Amino acid sequence: MRQILEDSAQRAIAYLESLEDRRVAPDPASISALSALDEGFPQAPTDPALVLQLLDEFGSPATMAMAGPRFFGFVIGGSLPVALAANWLADAWDQNSGLFKVTPATAALEQIALDWLLEIFGLPSTCAGAFVTGTTVAHITALAAARHAVLERVGWNVEADGLFGAPPITVVTGEEAHPTLFKALGVVGLGRNRVVRVPVDAQGRMRPEALPHLSGPAIICTQAGNVNTGAFDPHPAIIEHARQSGAWVHVDGAFGLWAAAAPSRAYQYVGIAQADSWATDAHKWLNVPYDSGLALVRDCDALRAAMAVTAEYLPTAGEQRNPSDYTPELSRRGRGVEVWAALRSLGRSGLADLIERTCRHARRFAEGLSAAGYAVLNEVTLNQVLVSFGDADKTQRVIAGIQEDGTCWCGGTVWQGQTAMRISVSSWATTEADVERSLEAMLRVAAS
Ligand SMILES: Cc1ncc(COP(=O)(O)O)c(C=O)c1O
């Protein structure tokens, strides 16, 4: 056992150290070589050392260097070394972290991490929380609680009776809400299309004057951090509107919620703590390994009503928090352990520095690109930059050229009709030198 685990650790360390110099996207030859793994199911056992060797020889070169310092696609954090190390240790523990009585260490660490998170986000310590796989599942979790609460107020028990014949729930989103929100609405039976979509401004922020008049059960889904622009919906006005009708406000803060931790960005967080539920990721800006998201819900009873299970064979009774009372899963890994490790290591000032630093890097990208004459399409108030290199064809060619060049990696998007390249700076590992090196590559490719 010792030998294979040490071999694995050495290979992982060598992989991470190689990311400084290797191209960010895997080369086509490495991708083709993956076919070597595509063999029939072995009839007999294989030496575990050889299995690991195959994985490293063929798998490692065909990975995208998302753990490295110059991956700027989607919204992808790296892994803080302490979070990765905690993940390794917790995986060795192999705890099925549903119930405190059975797995006290992971359950207690998740409780502590949750308390710290509520403090960071300025939320009451009585809020409930669920450590889930990502924001998509955090939406599903929080919206299940929302569905419970708004229907309970009109005398309907949705867990017992489902949505057949239930009073209708009005769901409101912004026109630029993230697609995973609509997916989550579909999963919880509220429908992807049965939604009132509110018009937005040029940054993707909901226009509060266009909010519909609400009466009866209603859920308003807002956004803290648009995936393209990083913009925040105007929460104070939306929450005031919601309060008039008792609507539940759910916030998609997949990455933007972390602005609360950064003094120079926290102005955008105004009003958000008054909402009813929040979904965010730890695998984005907190830089813990995949997969790690978080649902937070003000009404603890509503989340428990939606998620808790009991059975004679499960020791669920007790004073302590059982993680599975709040999550869609019963069996689950204690992913809050890495969140605890990251927060314990960073502390308040380290977390603020991580958020501030990545935002500064984004601004430097925006300044460098606009100084060279390229149009930055968004107000860069967070860690997202949208840049156009000319018409759609030219911008697409530059994006493909940058990906091919390999110095860094950025993806594309179409923002309100305009083709653009997205730069998202979310990794702890990105330095000023990485930004300058990447900017040089972008400008070289764009000029060629
Ligand atoms: C604003 C927003 N919401 C939701 C998501 C989905 O998050 P996840 O992929 O962790 O489910 C993302 C991912 O980029 C996002 O940026």
Side-chain angles (χ1 to χ4, degrees), residues 307-321:
M307 295 297 157
V309 280
T310 54
E312 285 306 325
Y313 82 100
L314 295 172
T316 47
E319 293 281 285
Q320 309 285 353
R321 172 182 183 272

Side-chain angles (χ1 to χ4, degrees), residues 59-332:
S60 295
T63 57
M64 179 70 82
M66 289 179 171
R70 293 185 303 283
F71 184 86
F72 305 117
F74 315 107
V75 187
I76 302 276
S79 284
L80 287 162
V82 70
L84 177 60
N87 169 280
W88 288 353
L89 186 57
D91 271 0
W93 294 345
D94 196 22
Q95 301 288 284
N96 182 339
S97 299
L99 307 172
F100 181 90
K101 277 200 178 136
V102 189
T103 55
T106 48
L109 286 161
E110 290 199 338
Q111 174 67 72
I112 297 162
L114 180 60
D115 291 345
W116 291 348
L117 288 160
L118 294 174
E119 193 181 318
I120 291 165
F121 298 132
L123 302 178
S125 60
T126 47
C127 288
F131 291 92
V132 294
T133 50
T135 293
T136 306
V137 175
H139 285 327
I140 292 169
T141 308
L143 289 170
R147 186 183 66 167
H148 170 90
V150 298
L151 287 179
E152 188 187 43
R153 284 179 215 150
V154 289
W156 189 267
N157 182 339
V158 70
E159 281 74 34
D161 300 324
L163 286 171
F164 305 101
I169 301 175
T170 307
V171 178
V172 180
T173 73
E175 195 60 68
E176 293 285 358
H178 196 270
T180 55
L181 179 73
F182 297 103
K183 175 174 172 173
L185 288 167
V187 172
V188 298
L190 298 176
R192 295 187 185 203
N193 298 340
R194 258 187 83 273
V195 171
V196 182
R197 295 176 73 138
V198 174
V200 294
D201 68 12
Q203 297 301 310
R205 293 177 288 235
M206 257 194 254
R207 293 183 184 280
E209 70 278 8
L211 281 164
H213 171 75
L214 296 171
S215 64
I219 302 171
I220 305 180
C221 301
T222 68
Q223 201 170 47
N226 175 281
V227 72
N228 284 307
T229 63
F232 285 55
D233 282 331
H235 284 88
I238 295 170
I239 287 180
E240 195 189 319
H241 187 85
R243 291 294 166 258
Q244 287 162 19
S245 60
W248 178 290
V249 178
H250 170 69
V251 182
D252 177 352
F255 60 96
L257 220 57
W258 297 90
S264 79
R265 312 287 149 175
Y267 69 93
Q268 298 170 95
Y269 191 75
V270 57
I272 290 175
Q274 313 315 312
D276 298 287
S277 61
W278 306 262
T280 191
D281 273 321
H283 59 217
K284 288 186 167 64
W285 231 346
L286 185 60
N287 280 257
V288 306
Y290 286 94
D291 39 29
S292 189
L294 190 75
L296 300 169
V297 177
R298 182 182 300 279
D299 180 347
C300 186
D301 292 342
L303 183 56
R304 285 175 65 101
M307 295 297 157
V309 280
T310 54
E312 285 306 325
Y313 82 100
L314 295 172
T316 47
E319 293 281 285
Q320 309 285 353
R321 172 182 183 272
N322 288 320
S324 67
D325 283 347
Y326 305 95
T327 53
E329 310 90 355
L330 175 59
S331 294
R332 54 183 293 279

